[in-house]
Amino acid sequence: MSQYSSPPPMPPYGPPMPPPPPPPGRRPAVTTALVAGAAAVVAAVVAVVVTLGVTGDGRAEPAPTVTVTETVGPDAADGGDEGAGESGADTADDGPEGTEDTATADGVHALDDTVVYDSDIEVGLTGLERAVSTDSAVPENTPYIRFTVRLENKGDKPFDAPMLTVNCSYGEDGSSAEAVFDTAAGLNGGPETKLLAGRSLNVPWGCELPKGEKLVQIEITPDYDSEAAIFTGRIP
């Protein structure tokens, strides 16, 4: 054998060539796949976080209700009533006070009201009380209501007082009450004189009122050109 060994045989081909670089503007397929996979993982994590943050069973909770609490001061609280108060005050000023005229749309007044007619004659009732006529009265021995018709002339010329008329009724059904004339009690009928400007006159009057009746209605007309004022109420 030779002292020199033969060299190893040469491979039939040369060393492998590296792969060609990718074309410009395009990413390798492996890189694209990795990016897509990472995006999918992020989306999955977000979905899990949202689901856990909403409810345990995966259903979305309704949006919370926001309540706005407004603190209203005393001035603001009274603001809504301020206009109404002013309006009420104006209305009260236009209305009656005390025993002044409190006529309704149909001309009805309480027994203690005072009425001023267009002729500037003021009329009121005083001293309402029950009584019984005397033997010489017309009608005699009859229960009646006695009262005084007070006239005051607030005009600037004399008033013809004999034009005064008084009519009475009683009860819920409005039974006509007969006038009572009793000289012994000073019930002599209506006035017979004129009432001068600025003067007043008291006229005693009586109307039939049975003992069991309490509701009375007294209609007073000062002259022929005025409408009757109706005074009504209950007598004890």
Side-chain angles (χ1 to χ4, degrees):
M1 295 182 61
S2 175
Q3 59 180 357
Y4 300 101
S5 59
S6 52
M10 296 295 291
Y13 306 101
M17 297 295 291
R26 296 183 58 185
R27 295 182 179 180
V30 176
T31 303
T32 303
L34 291 176
V35 173
V41 172
V42 172
V45 172
V46 173
V48 172
V49 172
V50 172
T51 302
L52 294 178
V54 178
T55 58
D57 56 3
R59 293 181 300 174
E61 293 180 343
T65 301
V66 179
T67 302
V68 178
T69 302
E70 181 179 359
T71 302
V72 180
D75 295 338
D78 296 338
D81 296 335
E82 183 176 356
E86 293 178 356
S87 176
D90 293 340
T91 302
D93 291 340
D94 294 337
E97 295 180 0
T99 58
E100 294 181 359
D101 184 10
T102 56
T104 59
D106 53 359
V108 179
H109 311 266
L111 291 175
D112 58 352
D113 283 348
T114 299
V115 178
V116 178
Y117 294 82
D118 293 338
S119 56
D120 294 327
I121 299 300
E122 182 179 280
V123 176
L125 305 178
T126 61
L128 288 89
E129 60 181 358
R130 290 180 180 269
V132 178
S133 63
T134 64
D135 295 341
S136 59
V138 179
E140 61 182 11
N141 300 322
T142 301
Y144 71 98
I145 179 175
R146 177 187 173 92
F147 54 90
T148 298
V149 179
R150 179 175 178 79
L151 303 175
E152 184 174 352
N153 187 353
K154 292 190 172 184
D156 55 3
K157 57 184 179 180
F159 169 70
D160 195 2
M163 292 190 297
L164 173 72
T165 59
V166 180
N167 295 297
C168 302
S169 61
Y170 61 84
E172 298 293 342
D173 57 352
S175 299
S176 180
E178 185 178 357
V180 175
F181 300 93
D182 192 345
T183 303
L187 302 178
N188 300 318
E192 299 178 355
T193 62
K194 290 184 178 292
L195 181 60
L196 299 179
R199 304 288 294 273
S200 61
L201 179 66
N202 294 324
V203 182
W205 203 273
C207 290
E208 176 189 6
L209 181 64
K211 291 183 178 181
E213 299 291 346
K214 293 184 177 181
L215 180 63
V216 297
Q217 177 175 311
I218 302 172
E219 299 182 14
I220 298 180
T221 307
D223 53 50
Y224 305 139
D225 297 328
S226 301
E227 294 184 0
I230 302 173
F231 299 84
T232 184
R234 295 184 179 276
I235 304 299

